[in-house]
Amino acid sequence: MNLQTILIIVAIVVVVGLGFLARELFQRGVRMRNRLQMSSVYTNITHELLTPLTVISASVERLRLKAPDQQQDYDLMQLNIERMVRLLQQILETSKSQSGELRLKVAHGDVMQYIERTALCIEPLMAQKHLDFNVQCTPESMMGWIDTDKLDKIIYNLLSNAAKYTLSDQGKITLQVHTNEKYDHIIIKVSDNGIGIPKDKMKHLFHRYYDGDYRRLHTLGTGLGLALTRELVYLHNGTIECESKEGEGTTFTIIIPINKEAFNSSQIDEQQKIDINMARSAILDIASRMRHTDAESEQLATTADDDAYRLLVVDDNVELLMLMSQLLGSKYHVSTATNGKEALEIIQKEELDIIISDVMMPVMDGLELTRRIKNDPNSRHLPIILLTAKMQDEDREEALRIGADSFVTKPFKMSDLELRINNIVENRKRIQTEFISQVGEAEKAVEAAAEPSPDELFLKRATDCVYQHLADSDYDRDTFAADMGASASTLYNKLRALTGMNVSNFIRSIRLKEAMRIARQTPQIRVSDLAYKVGFKDPKYFATCFKKEYGLQPSEFLDSLNKPTDQ
């Protein structure tokens, strides 16, 4: 091969290489242009959404003044408005960072006090998850220069991220802040004893749209928080590091300067001073509002009809839990839980009729909760309505396969959920009507059956217990449950499922049926004697119950029996 050939080959290689390089540079330029265009689109959309949210927020405040009796509704609206604002601002900050438009504006004030106040604003989030949360600032007071808006986001993202990946049982999160020896930097450490981060994922930790294990833990994530946090720290001329051991916990360490000399003149706001009383985050005091909601539910439980159906609503979204508890509480007794484990503890202790549960929850999700309920003979009769954002057919099939009675897809209308609840209630009422008409026949059916079912045997035992204590006016649900060898909640759940009645109504129904039989046998009996004979202390109350059950007063029924019949 001569020199000319070699030069031609080299030239061809160079031309081809330059062609590929030019193509790569062109495609990179197109990608960059598209990214900038999308960044501009995100920024514009974010600004457009913030405007109507501002209008809605102002409208809510106006309604507070016009109709102050609906404060809880307004709190719920404002809570979600501020949550949306926080998410939109995070998108906006990320967009600014991508386009190089993120700017720092530091002000002078008490840095330690501000950080402590900001961290404590997030305490309700920790209380919601039953986490041990501790804030330590050393010294307690230290003057310096910080951008409060950016530092808010750093602290919120790190603490909310720690809460997301720390389980409730014995979970502990600590925020430690101290200064260096020269008092010109602060060191912020956020530590938790959560699930930790695998080594192979550490290198992607601060990448944008890295979403960690939030799907596995059934929590929400955008993949922006830690990436934005690092960019905000770098904007402060600081550093951020992460140490983690899988299964033991994670510690984020941030070092940022607080001396004026660390920032250029365009980053310093001489006019503005840090106001520690304005330290806040968009997390409102959810815990106190839940206590308010629980108090209202408890008040309803003491004043509502004893026969009102009892619902357990399970959802880790506290705002949705508040809303459903408030709306459903006008018609039903409502208990609440934030995960499947809490729900199981309530089911074992309380009398319930229907379970309404979200699917995706931490600690124990809705599907596992459904499996546990349906596999337990003491609770398998409980109807379960599952709520989920999943819409695929296989998700619906999975929910129904493990025993869910109904399936509601998010977002849903409360009227749709109430329709499903009403269908279950109406079905229970039909069962109740059928049972009342067949009291006395069930025992014959069990005796006639070659192999009576466990439910038939249970009802026969329950009926026998009531008949054995028919005249005992003090025979109540607790004594009844003890005679049946079951807890009060188990007895309630089974009777409600099999007869449509609660324990008191079951006892009362049998007593009234027996009163009808005795009246037919001895029509000359006095109403008061008839009442005492079947366990009623008050003849007036007996008469009220009798009329409600049969449509006429017991005296009227006895008179009809005593009238001579035409020959």
Side-chain angles (χ1 to χ4, degrees), residues 406-454:
S406 191
F407 188 99
V408 181
T409 303
K410 292 182 178 180
F412 59 88
K413 296 179 181 179
M414 283 301 298
S415 57
D416 292 340
L417 177 59
E418 289 180 336
L419 179 62
R420 285 167 171 77
I421 295 172
N422 290 339
N423 287 341
I424 292 174
V425 170
E426 289 303 316
N427 185 52
R428 289 289 179 87
K429 288 180 177 178
R430 284 193 293 271
I431 294 173
Q432 178 178 345
T433 302
E434 292 173 4
F435 177 80
I436 290 173
S437 65
Q438 295 172 3
V439 170
E441 301 299 324
E443 189 171 348
K444 297 177 183 177
V446 170
E447 293 173 353
E451 293 185 8
S453 69

Side-chain angles (χ1 to χ4, degrees), residues 83-147:
R83 170 169 287 185
M84 290 182 69
V85 168
R86 187 180 69 249
L87 291 172
L88 290 171
Q89 286 177 338
Q90 186 154 286
I91 294 172
L92 186 60
E93 294 283 84
T94 302
S95 178
K96 287 181 178 179
S97 174
Q98 285 181 307
S99 60
E101 296 178 1
L102 203 56
R103 298 287 183 263
L104 197 68
K105 214 66 175 174
V106 297
H108 189 253
D110 195 326
V111 175
M112 291 296 189
Q113 286 288 307
Y114 186 83
I115 291 174
E116 182 178 16
R117 297 283 182 91
T118 302
L120 291 178
C121 286
I122 307 173
E123 192 169 28
L125 177 66
M126 306 299 180
Q128 176 193 340
K129 289 198 65 179
H130 309 291
L131 298 172
D132 181 7
F133 180 46
N134 188 24
V135 180
Q136 303 168 3
C137 292
T138 308
E140 294 182 358
S141 177
M142 171 63 63
M143 303 301 288
W145 294 81
I146 55 171
D147 185 326

Side-chain angles (χ1 to χ4, degrees), residues 226-284:
L226 287 179
L228 179 60
T229 298
R230 183 178 67 170
E231 290 164 4
L232 294 176
V233 170
Y234 286 173
L235 191 65
H236 275 84
N237 303 316
T239 61
I240 180 170
E241 294 180 352
C242 177
E243 295 180 2
S244 184
K245 288 186 178 181
E246 196 170 0
E248 295 185 17
T250 303
T251 298
F252 284 91
T253 303
I254 292 172
I255 302 176
I256 59 174
I258 59 170
N259 58 322
K260 188 176 181 179
E261 293 73 25
F263 309 101
N264 60 49
S265 58
S266 66
Q267 296 174 324
I268 298 172
D269 187 350
E270 296 277 7
Q271 306 300 319
Q272 185 70 28
K273 300 297 180 183
I274 298 174
D275 183 0
I276 61 173
N277 294 319
M278 292 298 291
R280 65 190 295 272
S281 74
I283 292 292
L284 303 182

